[in-house]
Amino acid sequence: MASTITDVAKLAGVSAQTVSRTINTPELVSKKTLDKVQRAINALDYHPNITARLLVNNKARSIGLFMPFSSDQVKQSLFFSTLSATICQFCSQNNLIMQMFTSMSREDSSQLFVKLFKERQVGGLILTCPSVSNEELIYLLSEKIPFIIVGRPGILTAQIPYVDVDNVKAGTIAVEHLIQFGHRRIGFLNGPSNMTLSIDLREGVTAISRSFPELEILEAETNLTLECGYIEALKLLQTENRPTAIFTADDLLAVGVKKAADELNLRIPEDLSIISGVQNGWGHILPYKLTHVDTQFEKLGDIAAQHMARYILHEEPINLSTLLEVRLVEGQSCGYVS
Amino acid sequence: MASTITDVAKLAGVSAQTVSRTINTPELVSKKTLDKVQRAINALDYHPNITARLLVNNKARSIGLFMPFSSDQVKQSLFFSTLSATICQFCSQNNLIMQMFTSMSREDSSQLFVKLFKERQVGGLILTCPSVSNEELIYLLSEKIPFIIVGRPGILTAQIPYVDVDNVKAGTIAVEHLIQFGHRRIGFLNGPSNMTLSIDLREGVTAISRSFPELEILEAETNLTLECGYIEALKLLQTENRPTAIFTADDLLAVGVKKAADELNLRIPEDLSIISGVQNGWGHILPYKLTHVDTQFEKLGDIAAQHMARYILHEEPINLSTLLEVRLVEGQSCGYVS
DNA sequence: TCTATATTTGGTATCGTTAACATTTGTATT
DNA sequence: AATACAAATGTTAACGATACCAAATATAGA
């Protein structure tokens, strides 16, 4: 049904190769022929069959993005939608195809990656950190699957390429900021203890607290939901000697803290300072600007895609690791201890 | 580098065709040969080249999803992430490939669709409603591009397949609910007037208000942001004879209304009832359960993908339109007029 | 045992494109 | 005008799989 390169060649009275050249290397074709072929292409509404092209070139021009889709993760954070949107945009701009995949059963995802790559469906994969286990990563390395991880993987001993935000630094500067406001008892609502995000934040917090022996950090683990933030904040704020500031791993937790503060009639920032890490977009909901660490996490997708694109298009090796700079953004949720 | 069907055939001592049969129609192969070939496949770690397979079969097995990516749309609503997640999941389960695309410049998106289909990159497209103009849709029809729209398109005269929530009904039952609570002056924070969502909601509201002549509907247009909801709610609630209830197009607006109500010291639901349409996930943030219309919008992606899959896999015609049922979910944000 | 039929396997062409090489045409130089 | 070289075009083979048809082998019934 659809017209092929041969149809165009016949109509234009040239060989198929000349048509191919007209499309791919027009500088090698005379102006007269170029014109003739172009007219034939238009007349037949010819579109080169990408599949045939890929077969002969023998390389996939698509980036696979693998996402975990447990519904609450999607529902409660804009991280994944931002990531996919960014990568999609990058691919569209760079004439690459973006394919999205998700796991069906938890265990076989590395099998899936190998399959995708070896079947030539994708030229490389972008994986999101918590969804792939260490063993799987090792396996992928051994199978020479080109991949890059968004978020720091659990192991660093192996040569695993990733991009992440500098969460250690984020933890440090957040607490540093609170110290400058005179806070010495600080609540710390961290994420789940098995996430590298949480591990890194804690490391950052610990680092700064080593230089301030009088500092007291009251850490609580949460699952990064509003509800959990609310409950843990209530616990912290109802103790005898309550903290004067709370650092939350993300802004959804900060909203939970605000809810708890409201309930206890604590004014922000007069009675309680709040500072947050990753901004997932929930902070907008607060009646004041939330002081937070700008992690530029929306850049993660772009960087990962760039690395992958360089590998796919020019076979450049994938950089081992990239850490994004973080910086503090002052809002109206932090104040001096009264 | 990678092994081909011929390599496997050689190793197993059979023809390439037999290997192909082993993979695709094992019931036509003797048990003995099956075994032999399977061993060779494993030994060589053979994976059929999808590209070659697609070429000979001459049909694309992928669904293209087109998304608008103006950043605030992604940032403020979980609609797009939910949609892509659902479709991705469906594709993974049905052995289809999901490709995502976004527009580079506003005007050429229909050109892009034609290109994608004719180049055999995709077997069909799922488009999101506001991102494609009526003219483009007509053009796609004329080019016989298989597509389905999520959300009601602006024109219905042409044979345009779509899936949407029954927003007309949603508008009706929301107001009906408020009427049952005795409300007669009702604020209505609608979306942008050019969105079919807004048009449909208004139609539903108008329909019910025709049966209740004493009903007063105070409609205001918003851009579906928190800020806008807050401002418009303030305006409504500061009038001489303020409405006793407000119906918002989505839950983010409802959060804005809550903010305004707090500021004016109006208790919910004692002083003001709030009911919301589409739940984008922001409603969770409120300290009470928001009464809303359950639009099951997370089903939209599934249905669209199902239609597309049936077309791609079995060439079944794409159904013209599907409207999802809506139902009222009672929360704690509506009360009787005092 | 022989034929008829079912089961299993193999050979060749093909999908639509580009790579590699071969050939022709054009242009400049002597 | 003859030669040398560059530019433009054509020819053939290949990418890796499956479709289609032909051939071989096995099985059953007479």
Side-chain angles (χ1 to χ4, degrees), chain A residues 51 54-55 119-120, chain B residues 48-58:
Chain A
T51 310
L54 288 177
L55 178 59
E119 288 182 348
R120 309 290 164 118
Chain B
N49 183 321
I50 291 286
T51 309
R53 191 180 273 176
L54 288 178
L55 178 60
V56 67
N57 285 335
N58 196 28

Side-chain angles (χ1 to χ4, degrees), chain A residues 107-180:
Chain A
E107 39 268 275
D108 63 2
S109 47
S110 61
Q111 298 291 335
L112 172 67
F113 304 149
V114 173
K115 182 168 165 287
L116 289 175
F117 180 70
K118 298 216 167 171
E119 288 182 348
R120 309 290 164 118
Q121 280 192 53
V122 301
L125 287 154
I126 297 177
L127 311 177
T128 45
C129 171
S131 52
V132 194
S133 73
N134 292 346
E135 297 73 39
E136 287 177 316
L137 293 178
I138 301 282
Y139 174 63
L140 290 181
L141 279 179
S142 76
E143 288 281 337
K144 301 215 169 67
I145 308 299
F147 70 93
I148 187 164
I149 303 180
V150 175
R152 184 173 76 75
I155 33 164
L156 288 167
T157 45
Q159 306 279 308
I160 296 177
Y162 73 93
V163 278
D164 200 2
V165 158
D166 191 343
N167 285 312
V168 175
K169 188 85 176 287
T172 299
I173 66 175
V175 172
E176 219 164 34
H177 187 70
L178 292 174
I179 290 174
Q180 280 163 12

Side-chain angles (χ1 to χ4, degrees), chain B residues 79 106 126-141 147-168 193-200 203 300 304 318-323:
Chain B
F79 178 77
R106 184 64 190 74
I126 297 177
L127 311 177
T128 45
C129 171
S131 53
V132 193
S133 73
N134 292 344
E135 297 74 39
E136 287 177 316
L137 293 179
I138 301 282
Y139 175 63
L140 291 180
L141 278 179
F147 71 93
I148 187 164
I149 303 178
V150 176
R152 184 173 75 75
I155 32 164
L156 288 167
T157 46
Q159 305 281 308
I160 296 177
Y162 74 93
V163 277
D164 199 3
V165 158
D166 190 343
N167 284 312
V168 175
S193 59
N194 61 335
M195 277 180 66
T196 50
L197 162 71
S198 317
I199 296 169
D200 290 351
E203 190 184 320
L300 288 178
I318 300 169
N319 288 23
L320 267 189
S321 70
T322 309
L323 272 190

